[in-house]
Amino acid sequence: MESLIGTTIDQVPANPAPTDDVLATQSIGYWSGLAHASVTRYLRDAMARNDVTQPQYWVLNRVNGGPAAPSREEVVAQLTHLADGPHEISRVVDQLLHRGWLRIDDGQRLHLTDAGEAARARLRELATEVRAVVHQSINDEEYVAALKVLRRMVANVGGDGAPGNPF
């Protein structure tokens, strides 16, 4: 296939079964947006069936994931860029405290309770199952190649290269 980079072309409407030549003219914004929305919806629906939200899973992982127990402020600062609003992560911490999945020590540090760790482990299994569905018929080489292309596109437009979504 001849490279179309730098060639002026008409945008072709998205087509679910295009030839490679047609696919090369389609918008990355459309396909990356559709992939993000579809995968996020699938994951969040799976989590909702387990009475949990994706931000709750992020918080459980963050509280579990460091060398030292984090404060509420540290968790909020580290996860707010992923959230739907500036107050969501703080609310999630409150939800998890109320649910008994988190506790606060005398130094105002957050810790998982036994129930919180059990929930985190269950959700990790669920995330692994969702990943298997999303990656069905896609080998690791194809997946890595796709991510490298997306990372290059982000860099090409001055993206900040922030760390990936913790799921």
Side-chain angles (χ1 to χ4, degrees):
M1 184 172 93
E2 182 180 330
S3 174
L4 297 175
I5 295 174
T7 304
T8 303
I9 54 175
D10 289 330
Q11 189 74 31
V12 177
N15 175 341
T19 62
D20 286 354
D21 289 344
V22 171
L23 192 57
T25 67
Q26 292 184 349
S27 167
I28 185 61
Y30 172 80
W31 288 107
S32 63
L34 183 60
H36 172 76
S38 299
V39 170
T40 300
R41 181 181 57 248
Y42 187 86
L43 174 65
R44 289 184 175 187
D45 287 350
M47 288 185 168
R49 288 189 291 276
N50 289 273
D51 193 30
V52 72
T53 67
Q54 187 180 29
Q56 288 172 340
Y57 182 49
W58 297 337
V59 170
L60 291 172
N61 278 329
R62 174 53 199 100
V63 170
N64 183 65
S71 68
R72 171 193 292 268
E73 293 76 19
E74 290 167 338
V75 170
V76 169
Q78 291 169 354
L79 297 177
T80 293
H81 73 282
L82 299 170
D84 290 336
H87 306 291
E88 182 177 24
I89 300 302
S90 184
R91 289 179 186 132
V92 166
V93 170
D94 289 335
Q95 291 167 348
L96 296 174
L97 287 165
H98 178 76
R99 190 175 267 197
W101 289 2
L102 292 180
R103 67 175 179 80
I104 298 178
D105 67 19
D106 292 339
Q108 298 302 301
R109 298 293 180 176
L110 297 169
H111 301 271
L112 294 181
T113 64
D114 290 343
E117 175 54 28
R120 190 194 66 76
R122 282 192 313 273
L123 292 168
R124 183 69 192 133
E125 287 178 28
L126 176 63
T128 300
E129 292 168 11
V130 167
R131 185 181 192 282
V133 171
V134 171
H135 288 241
Q136 186 175 354
S137 301
I138 300 168
N139 67 40
D140 288 347
E141 184 177 278
E142 291 171 312
Y143 181 70
V144 168
L147 292 186
K148 285 181 176 181
V149 168
L150 290 172
R151 288 174 59 188
R152 194 171 331 125
M153 288 179 168
V154 169
N156 288 346
V157 297
D160 64 11
N165 183 330
F167 230 81

